Amino acid sequence: MKYGICTLEDFSFYGKTVLCRVDINSPVDRVQNQLKDITRIEGCIPTIQELADKGSKVVLLAHQGGDLEYQNYVSTEIHRPVLTQLLKKREVTFIDDVCGPAARAKIGALANGEILLLDNVRYLAEELTLFEMKLKLSSQEQANTLIVRKLAPLADLYVCDAFAAIHRSQPSLVGFEEVLPSAMGRLFETEYSALSRVMREPEHPCLFILGGTKIQDAFLMMSSVLDAGIADGVLTTGLVGNIFLWAKGIDIGQPSRDFIATNQLAEYVERGKEVLRKHESRVWLPVDLSYVEEGRRESKVSELPLQRLFVDIGHQTVKKYLEKIGQAKTIFMNGPAGVFEKSDSEYGTQSLWVAVAHSPAYSVIGGGDSIAAAKKYQVKSEFSYVCTGGGAMIRFLGGEPLPVIEALQKAGRRFLANNQGSG
Ligand code: 3PG
């Protein structure tokens, strides 16, 4: 057991039917009907391989897209060949059913070591995020949902490896723990340990480099790590930096203010003032910004050309931030420093990503854009840890209650109580 949750060490798997919930939710090319990125599938391979190699009958449950990500809402059939290709000597079969008679018959016919991938669990209304938000099911009700009632009686164990979905309270993620012995998978355990290292026992100085356009995420994490004394410094970049400059009373010009306002982010200027009031000495702001006018140009924040939109941090800011990075022992980085997809505005992101990747500090990145930048600059494998989760990671670091962790811990307490009872 670890973190109050059973691990794969706590159970024997030979001949057992295991429901294994993975998060292989990936960007999809709808024209080619192919996955655009397989990072998450690679992540859950060790758990699936181990379960199959130990002789269990593995039933994979997964979501793909959904009501919040409708453009990616497709069948999990396209994940099957990728899984087969990544697994050693194992063929994954697929059925276009989640918990109906066809899926149940297929599960019943599995032999030891075989792996079956069920269709997208979000084809069931109970698994949709709007359903979750609206109905807020109790754990009793989660255990009484269709998917749990139909599949749990066919299984011996439930394994959750879907760390990237720990913030969701959906039946396939929190319902089976109510009725089956449950454990976390290997990826789940690794992600939990890597983020705990940043969150619970960071080696100091510990830096958070926060940029990008997901302002709500950045503020959630920033307030919590500053209040808890985890972060010795927060280096702001990207839109986060621009919002802080505005909060500090620096004129960032009408186009940048309009961009913030039209994206409904103006409230964060007030939140930024509050953060600065409490933690000014630990929050670092850009000293120069870049804009595009017949190519890349830069200006000190005190002399900004106010008719321009600022799309990157400048060389002086990068220089100042690299000094901080050089002294850090732990670095967490989320969100690019500028519009890194374009060559005129990628300098900040490229410089920081390469510096953090090559620094001896324990470095963690996560989230779609941050991983895309790491791939673009070919430094993904240089980070100490690349988290597969976006929203899940932010909420973990923001100290929010996480339904899947709570459900697994509840199952862990039951496991301990049963074992003490029999011992
Ligand atoms: C993610 O992509 O963050 C996870 O797979 C969860 O997906 P969701 O936000 O659609 O629930």
Side-chain angles (χ1 to χ4, degrees):
M1 270 197 130
K2 220 165 158 183
Y3 315 116
I5 299 174
C6 293
T7 70
L8 298 190
E9 311 303 331
D10 291 308
F11 300 105
S12 63
F13 290 97
Y14 187 78
K16 303 276 173 62
T17 300
V18 181
L19 298 178
C20 179
R21 176 63 161 97
V22 288
D23 189 332
I24 49 176
N25 186 25
S26 311
V28 174
D29 178 339
R30 294 291 291 252
V31 179
Q32 304 288 335
N33 202 30
Q34 269 178 7
L35 300 175
K36 289 202 272 188
D37 184 89
I38 58 164
T39 307
R40 284 189 173 163
I41 304 188
E42 289 167 339
C44 64
I45 290 297
T47 297
I48 303 170
Q49 186 81 54
E50 181 174 341
L51 293 174
D53 289 352
K54 283 181 170 170
S56 59
K57 304 163 189 172
V58 187
V59 182
L60 298 176
L61 297 121
H63 72 280
Q64 172 57 51
D67 42 350
L68 301 185
E69 252 195 320
Y70 199 64
Q71 76 282 9
N72 287 327
Y73 190 41
V74 296
S75 166
T76 52
E77 189 169 10
I78 52 175
H79 304 65
R80 189 203 64 80
V82 184
L83 282 161
T84 296
Q85 197 193 333
L86 293 171
L87 285 161
K88 282 190 216 98
K89 297 190 192 142
R90 302 275 167 196
E91 172 84 27
V92 176
T93 55
F94 169 80
I95 183 147
D96 58 344
D97 185 18
V98 180
C99 62
R104 300 201 303 273
K106 199 98 170 141
I107 294 171
L110 283 175
N112 293 353
E114 285 186 347
I115 305 164
L116 170 68
L117 172 63
L118 301 177
D119 213 338
N120 189 348
V121 292
R122 286 191 178 162
Y123 286 166
L124 302 178
E126 290 166 332
E127 292 282 328
L128 290 171
T129 303
L130 288 176
F131 183 98
E132 170 194 345
M133 308 268 194
K134 186 90 185 144
L135 294 190
K136 300 193 189 316
L137 299 186
S138 66
S139 36
Q140 203 67 47
E141 289 165 329
Q142 295 280 9
N144 207 22
T145 51
L146 185 76
I147 192 169
V148 179
R149 274 189 289 118
K150 295 290 179 186
L151 297 187
L154 305 178
D156 301 294
L157 293 160
Y158 172 76
V159 169
C160 186
D161 213 22
F163 190 86
I166 51 173
H167 55 308
R168 296 285 175 227
S169 180
Q170 294 162 355
S172 68
L173 288 157
V174 299
F176 290 107
E177 290 92 328
E178 291 291 317
V179 291
L180 287 175
S182 301
M184 60 182 163
R186 297 298 180 200
L187 174 69
F188 197 113
E189 198 180 329
T190 310
E191 305 258 53
Y192 201 133
S193 305
L195 294 186
S196 297
R197 184 163 167 185
V198 176
M199 190 63 185
R200 310 232 157 93
E201 52 209 41
E203 229 189 305
H204 293 278
C206 173
L207 281 189
F208 277 67
I209 306 175
L210 302 180
T213 50
K214 293 192 176 155
I215 304 304
Q216 197 188 354
D217 288 354
F219 271 81
L220 176 72
M221 204 163 34
M222 181 177 346
S223 304
S224 126
V225 296
L226 283 167
D227 288 345
I230 294 163
D232 300 294
V234 173
L235 310 184
T236 65
T237 70
L239 197 55
V240 182
N242 291 3
I243 287 178
F244 268 99
L245 288 170
W246 186 357
K248 197 158 182 210
I250 288 165
D251 193 351
I252 54 170
Q254 201 59 43
S256 296
R257 281 199 301 271
D258 285 349
F259 184 84
I260 291 167
T262 51
N263 284 289
Q264 265 98 54
L265 298 170
E267 63 168 292
Y268 288 98
V269 178
E270 286 311 308
R271 304 257 304 263
K273 287 183 188 165
E274 183 62 34
V275 172
L276 288 176
R277 245 192 312 276
K278 279 166 78 180
H279 304 291
E280 182 145 23
S281 62
R282 286 188 285 150
V283 180
W284 291 66
L285 273 47
V287 292
D288 58 351
L289 295 177
S290 163
Y291 56 100
V292 179
E293 188 188 330
E294 291 166 10
R296 180 186 173 97
R297 288 170 192 268
E298 294 187 358
S299 207
K300 282 191 210 161
V301 294
S302 53
E303 297 166 6
L304 294 174
L306 298 177
Q307 73 285 12
R308 296 284 161 201
L309 182 68
F310 301 103
V311 287
D312 193 13
I313 52 173
H315 279 65
Q316 291 310 313
T317 306
V318 168
K319 189 165 169 241
K320 190 173 120 171
Y321 285 4
L322 292 191
E323 280 168 27
K324 293 271 158 204
I325 290 168
Q327 295 154 5
K329 296 265 173 49
T330 308
I331 304 173
F332 174 83
M333 191 156 67
N334 184 245
V339 186
F340 74 99
E341 296 86 351
K342 298 197 176 146
S343 61
D344 282 335
S345 45
E346 69 173 336
Y347 173 75
T349 307
Q350 181 168 19
S351 309
L352 298 184
W353 257 241
V354 170
V356 173
H358 292 153
S359 97
Y362 181 74
S363 56
V364 177
I365 60 160
D369 288 341
S370 302
I371 295 176
K375 283 184 179 163
K376 180 170 184 193
Y377 304 121
Q378 299 178 358
V379 290
K380 185 169 163 239
S381 60
E382 315 285 329
F383 289 95
S384 311
Y385 194 71
V386 178
C387 186
T388 60
M393 174 188 69
I394 304 292
R395 282 163 185 80
F396 189 99
L397 291 170
E400 286 203 355
L402 296 159
V404 179
I405 290 181
E406 286 174 357
L408 286 167
Q409 286 174 336
K410 187 173 175 192
R413 289 193 293 278
R414 207 174 54 233
F415 172 83
L416 282 180
N418 290 345
N419 280 7
Q420 273 159 11
S422 63

